[in-house]
Amino acid sequence: MARGDVAVVLTQSLRRFATSRPHILLLETSGGLVPRLEVERFARLHAWPLVDGPADADLLVVAGAAGEFDPYIDRVWNQLPGPRARVVLAPDDDPVRGLQHARLQLERPEGGQGERRAPGRPAASHAGHDMGAMGGMEMAVAEDPHAGHDMGAMGGMDMPAGLGMADRADDRDGLKLDVLTVPWGPALPWWPAGLVVTTVLQGDVVAEARAERLGDPAGQAGAWREIGSRIGTSRGGAACLLDSLTRLLALAGWRSAHLGAQRVRDDLLGGSDPQRSSQRLHRLADRVAGSRLLAAMTSAIPSTAGGDVRSRYLAWLDAATTAVDQDRSPAWSGDPAAAVEELPGLLVGREFASARLAVASLDPELSGAFTAVAARA
Amino acid sequence: MSILASAALVLAVGAGLVALLYGASLLVAVDRSPLVVEPFLSGHAPTEHAVSRFHARWYTVSLLFLTFDMEMAFMYPWAVVVADVGVKAIVEMFGFLAILSVGVLYAWREGTLRWS
């Protein structure tokens, strides 16, 4: 049929154009440090964007073993719109080949849609999967906002997707706001591997927080130490600090400095000329330290050891430049368990974006790359 | 061309463009109906509905509304005569707006526009 052929030709050429640079949702799990670094480098060199959430993503790339992260990854996979493809990169897989293969999967007409689980709890199954969303919208429009407290008493009505409305409670200003449980991690991009922070949000503000670790916390520390033994502890340590900096800059939204920091980190990891790496690092440090906008954003957010996020990233840059210039391991130490302990205290009362920056500022401690033992070694 | 004919032409062109876009989307869409998914909670299932009700500060919002409403009431006749009266009218209206903006600045500093 002629019309069908036109549709197919249009669709195929559009599809080839659209999947030439697929958007990557990069999730790190235990043992995923090296694959993640490789994927970030590949994405930077080929200009494949790394996105913040499943709605914008074409490829779901899991760096590291799936293991106990499987249910979380499956749920995120379910939320990716088609066409989509999924790659799990174990530490000894070839990331470049995995990514190219996934991109070819995207190009095919069947486009890797795969099975989708219907949203909503199994308990509300008789409502059907499209009733879930429709019912939710109708409820929101029809109900009187002040009847929120009475929702539970209306026993006959079926809750959309089996979920109740959010309850209200006093917040820090004495207003009555909705209480929302929002878990952060483990399947979150730009997030430390295996960390799960369950926060209770009221409005924009974190009212409570609880932090725990999934997977193998010692694994990432081991991976950094292995990198350090391969390329030298000075460059390895500096690369670790720069890795934390790239994450912070990505969250802060300063894309060009984020790419610059990635470039210097990949330089150090790839073993390029030490003189040039040192020059580039100094230029990056001047640029980031001199930014008044970043300073204004981060100087009011408290971070570990009584400092704030600004003092943290300045300390990272300082330690990294000293390490590369003097060719010795960075003078840094920290305990991952203690960092996870103090995390809730740092988050309560912070606004959402500030809280995420605060978590990002705890980074080298959270990964355990510079435990007291390693720093002395 | 008469006004009616040109209006009809603009309408036809607009309708044609919209129809073209819809047709193109029907041809190349991945799926007819949009995807229905749960909200992105880093792989966790949601525990409550996130229809978050914001606390609108009604008293202060009404004051802000009245401010701009009264300003509008003065600006409508002013807009009609400003071209004839000239610079004097412009200066007077901007003085009026400056006084109003002091009030808006005060409301802003007092947290009227905050919604959490």
Side-chain angles (χ1 to χ4, degrees):
Chain A
M1 210 185 325
R3 200 180 61 155
D5 286 339
V6 168
V8 166
V9 165
L10 265 182
T11 315
Q12 262 307 92
S13 51
L14 261 184
R15 193 180 213 109
R16 214 170 299 128
F17 171 68
T19 57
S20 58
R21 292 190 305 142
H23 292 205
I24 299 180
L25 181 64
L26 182 56
L27 305 175
E28 188 186 352
T29 61
S30 41
L33 177 67
V34 173
R36 171 175 72 81
L37 293 172
E38 289 287 311
V39 171
E40 281 184 8
R41 183 168 166 275
F42 181 89
R44 180 174 57 85
L45 290 175
H46 290 76
W48 290 13
L50 291 171
V51 298
D52 302 319
D56 199 10
D58 301 319
L59 287 185
L60 178 63
V61 178
V62 180
E68 61 180 308
F69 297 86
D70 224 11
Y72 304 109
I73 294 173
D74 266 341
R75 241 189 228 108
V76 173
W77 170 242
N78 207 47
Q79 293 169 359
L80 255 79
R84 54 180 183 160
R86 171 160 142 171
V87 193
V88 176
L89 297 170
D92 32 340
D93 280 345
D94 181 10
V96 175
R97 239 191 13 182
L99 288 174
Q100 303 280 25
H101 177 71
R103 192 182 75 77
L104 288 174
Q105 268 191 309
L106 278 181
E107 258 188 36
R108 287 195 328 235
E110 321 86 65
Q113 292 275 3
E115 279 298 308
R116 272 187 205 275
R117 183 181 53 77
R121 303 266 180 83
S125 56
H126 75 273
H129 67 269
D130 38 9
M131 252 309 277
M134 283 300 285
M137 286 204 297
E138 283 164 22
M139 293 236 163
V141 167
E143 70 150 12
D144 173 14
H146 297 292
H149 305 290
D150 301 323
M151 279 306 258
M154 297 198 241
M157 192 165 357
D158 193 23
M159 290 292 112
L163 292 175
M165 292 287 293
D167 213 352
R168 301 214 283 183
D170 275 336
D171 86 327
R172 62 176 182 176
D173 293 326
L175 304 168
K176 263 203 175 314
L177 287 178
D178 282 355
V179 169
L180 285 176
T181 314
V182 179
W184 301 357
L188 190 60
W190 310 118
W191 185 255
L195 183 66
V196 179
V197 179
T198 313
T199 60
V200 169
L201 286 180
Q202 283 195 291
D204 242 3
V205 173
V206 177
E208 295 163 25
R210 201 177 63 237
E212 56 191 2
R213 261 218 125 116
L214 285 185
D216 170 29
Q220 218 193 20
W224 276 117
R225 245 171 268 143
E226 216 181 277
I227 294 179
S229 61
R230 187 167 45 88
I231 61 174
T233 48
S234 65
R235 304 169 73 119
C240 178
L241 292 166
L242 280 176
D243 189 39
S244 315
L245 183 68
T246 49
R247 202 175 289 171
L248 184 73
L249 289 172
L251 284 174
W254 191 3
R255 189 167 160 72
S256 61
H258 159 71
L259 290 173
Q262 278 195 346
R263 214 172 293 139
V264 182
R265 177 196 69 187
D266 293 337
D267 258 357
L268 288 171
L269 288 173
S272 73
D273 176 31
Q275 184 80 331
R276 272 239 312 234
S277 308
S278 169
Q279 265 181 358
R280 285 209 180 117
L281 183 51
H282 275 279
R283 240 181 301 172
L284 175 74
D286 287 338
R287 190 173 165 205
V288 173
S291 160
R292 269 188 282 205
L293 184 56
L294 189 63
M297 265 175 74
T298 53
S299 57
I301 309 174
S303 183
T304 183
D308 54 20
V309 174
R310 173 171 164 75
S311 59
R312 285 288 290 184
Y313 71 73
L314 290 177
W316 293 339
L317 286 168
D318 203 28
T321 45
T322 327
V324 170
D325 286 340
Q326 301 175 2
D327 198 21
R328 58 179 178 79
S329 172
W332 201 275
S333 70
D335 182 23
V340 172
E341 281 279 319
E342 69 168 327
L343 197 49
L346 289 180
L347 297 182
V348 171
R350 301 272 116 226
E351 182 244 335
F352 187 87
S354 314
R356 269 216 73 176
L357 286 174
V359 175
S361 72
L362 280 177
D363 226 4
E365 270 79 336
L366 280 176
S367 73
F370 295 102
T371 53
V373 174
R376 254 184 266 130
Chain B
M1 216 190 300
S2 75
I3 292 181
L4 200 59
S6 35
L9 179 65
V10 169
L11 190 63
V13 169
L17 278 176
V18 170
L20 191 69
L21 283 174
Y22 269 104
S25 126
L26 275 177
L27 272 182
V28 301
V30 172
D31 198 349
R32 284 297 159 82
S33 52
L35 184 60
V36 173
V37 291
E38 294 165 335
F40 174 52
L41 288 173
S42 319
H44 294 247
T47 50
E48 63 268 304
H49 257 290
V51 180
S52 207
R53 289 155 287 191
F54 293 102
H55 186 86
R57 294 164 162 82
W58 295 115
Y59 178 64
T60 37
V61 165
S62 328
L63 284 182
L64 261 187
F65 162 72
L66 277 178
T67 311
F68 285 103
D69 202 29
M70 287 296 102
E71 175 211 321
M72 257 173 41
F74 283 110
M75 285 191 85
Y76 278 138
W78 170 83
V80 171
V81 299
V82 66
D84 299 324
V85 177
V87 181
K88 178 166 168 292
I90 295 177
V91 169
E92 284 174 359
M93 177 51 79
F94 274 79
F96 175 57
L97 286 178
I99 296 171
L100 280 181
S101 59
V102 169
V104 172
L105 190 65
Y106 167 76
W108 189 346
R109 289 291 309 272
E110 287 294 310
T112 315
L113 302 171
R114 252 191 277 136
W115 59 1
S116 61

